[in-house]
Amino acid sequence: MRFDILTLFPEMFSGPLNTSILGKARANGLLSVNLWDIRDSALDKHRIVDDTPYGGGAGMVLKPDVLVRAIESVPHSAQAPVIYLTPQGKVFNQKLAEELAREPHLILVSGHYEEIDERVRQGWVDLELSIGDYVLTGGELPALVVVDAVSRHIPGVLGDDRSAQEDSFQDDLLDHPHYTRPYSFRGKEVPQVLLSGHHELIRRWRLKEALRRTMLRRPDLLERRNFSKEEKDILDEIKKEHYKERR
Ligand code: ADE
């Protein structure tokens, strides 16, 4: 899969893109990420990329001619969806990450401090994404978040493909708790069932704890979910346990 990222600050990307899983995926050729400095598309001698807003007011606006030239200079740009990172966008989540991972090529546009000219949004941007309801200084970190979350779904990027399937949010459930050695740590022991070697009991315990965790921390996720008979039974068990605890 290929990403082209348009930014005024390409240097912000090198650490995350060259480290750990993303670094390896790039070295293996599973992932290609190209950075383009928007300023290279400014043709004047001062390489100006922004201008004051029509109508007045604070802040600057990224010039449409410069930004569109930058987008159109990406090889094969006409075939790739263009995504603009903005707090006004659709809120990014695991489902969108999976869907975007099916695209062979994405172009990400990161603004900085300032807005882009509305006409670029209308004519050249296919999707606007926000990584959450807070405002960052620019779209660089959001672009990295999108590259990271999407790349995990490219086959072969995670050492063990099961890891992506067992993530939190897969199936609208948070992940179950995890334990490793030592068995006893500062007076706290690992749940016995995990030592039993009984695969079916372990599977059911993990499902139950994933449901419990989701119910307690993110009940909103459960509201939109369809439950199997087994899951409904487990939810009843959990509710009874919590009811007993409260009495
Ligand atoms: N740019 C600034 N804040 C942002 C956010 N929350 N999501 C996406 N892009 C942004």
Side-chain angles (χ1 to χ4, degrees):
M1 176 167 187
R2 171 182 171 134
F3 289 91
D4 286 278
I5 304 177
L6 276 55
T7 170
L8 289 166
F9 297 95
E11 64 275 19
M12 283 183 74
F13 291 81
S14 59
L17 290 180
N18 290 317
T19 310
S20 181
I21 291 177
L22 294 184
K24 248 182 249 156
R26 292 177 78 200
N28 292 340
L30 293 169
L31 175 66
S32 144
V33 186
N34 307 291
L35 294 164
W36 304 88
D37 190 336
I38 294 170
R39 201 170 292 280
D40 291 341
S41 295
L43 300 181
D44 65 302
K45 89 167 183 258
H46 300 292
R47 309 219 303 153
I48 291 171
V49 294
D50 53 10
D51 204 341
T52 53
Y54 272 112
M60 298 289 274
V61 180
L62 214 54
K63 285 164 65 59
D65 50 331
V66 174
L67 187 51
V68 167
R69 199 175 297 117
I71 293 171
E72 290 180 345
S73 65
V74 172
H76 312 291
S77 59
Q79 283 85 265
V82 175
I83 299 175
Y84 174 48
L85 287 312
T86 165
Q88 299 177 17
K90 184 169 181 178
V91 180
F92 186 58
N93 62 19
Q94 187 79 345
K95 186 162 166 277
L96 277 166
E98 272 173 61
E99 283 171 18
L100 291 175
R102 294 190 209 118
E103 298 282 347
H105 183 194
L106 294 174
I107 298 174
L108 305 182
V109 177
S110 298
H112 204 88
Y113 319 121
E114 52 201 1
E115 264 303 342
I116 63 173
D117 188 287
E118 191 65 18
R119 292 163 293 184
V120 181
R121 287 180 128 130
Q122 290 165 354
W124 284 267
V125 170
D126 298 292
L127 176 65
E128 300 191 14
L129 286 182
S130 162
I131 62 159
D133 291 342
Y134 42 84
V135 180
L136 300 164
T137 51
E140 293 81 8
L141 295 172
L144 282 165
V145 165
V146 170
V147 170
D148 188 299
V150 169
S151 299
R152 299 177 74 262
H153 296 283
I154 302 170
V157 164
L158 295 183
D160 180 351
D161 278 339
R162 253 183 337 186
S163 313
Q165 281 151 30
E166 291 176 4
D167 275 341
S168 284
F169 300 112
Q170 220 64 34
D171 283 338
D172 283 327
L173 278 189
L174 300 183
D175 199 3
H176 57 76
H178 295 258
Y179 295 88
T180 187
R181 277 175 279 273
Y183 168 67
S184 180
F185 176 67
R186 304 210 179 174
K188 293 178 191 294
E189 266 110 57
V190 174
Q192 279 302 324
V193 59
L194 297 178
L195 286 81
S196 68
H198 194 308
H199 297 302
E200 174 52 23
L201 284 181
I202 293 171
R203 183 198 64 77
R204 194 177 190 282
W205 181 87
R206 286 180 168 161
L207 176 59
K208 182 170 181 176
E209 296 315 311
L211 282 163
R212 189 196 311 275
R213 192 157 268 198
T214 313
M215 197 174 99
L216 294 174
R217 298 183 182 193
R218 292 293 305 275
D220 58 302
L221 293 179
L222 296 184
E223 272 162 32
R224 61 182 188 209
R225 196 169 182 282
N226 292 320
F227 297 101
S228 66
K229 165 85 172 66
E230 179 187 36
E231 289 169 347
K232 281 184 198 152
D233 293 346
I234 293 176
L235 275 173
D236 284 343
E237 268 174 49
I238 297 170
K239 282 178 194 153
K240 274 186 205 136
E241 286 167 18
H242 285 256
Y243 178 70
K244 253 191 237 152
E245 256 169 42
R246 260 183 276 136
R247 286 205 311 164

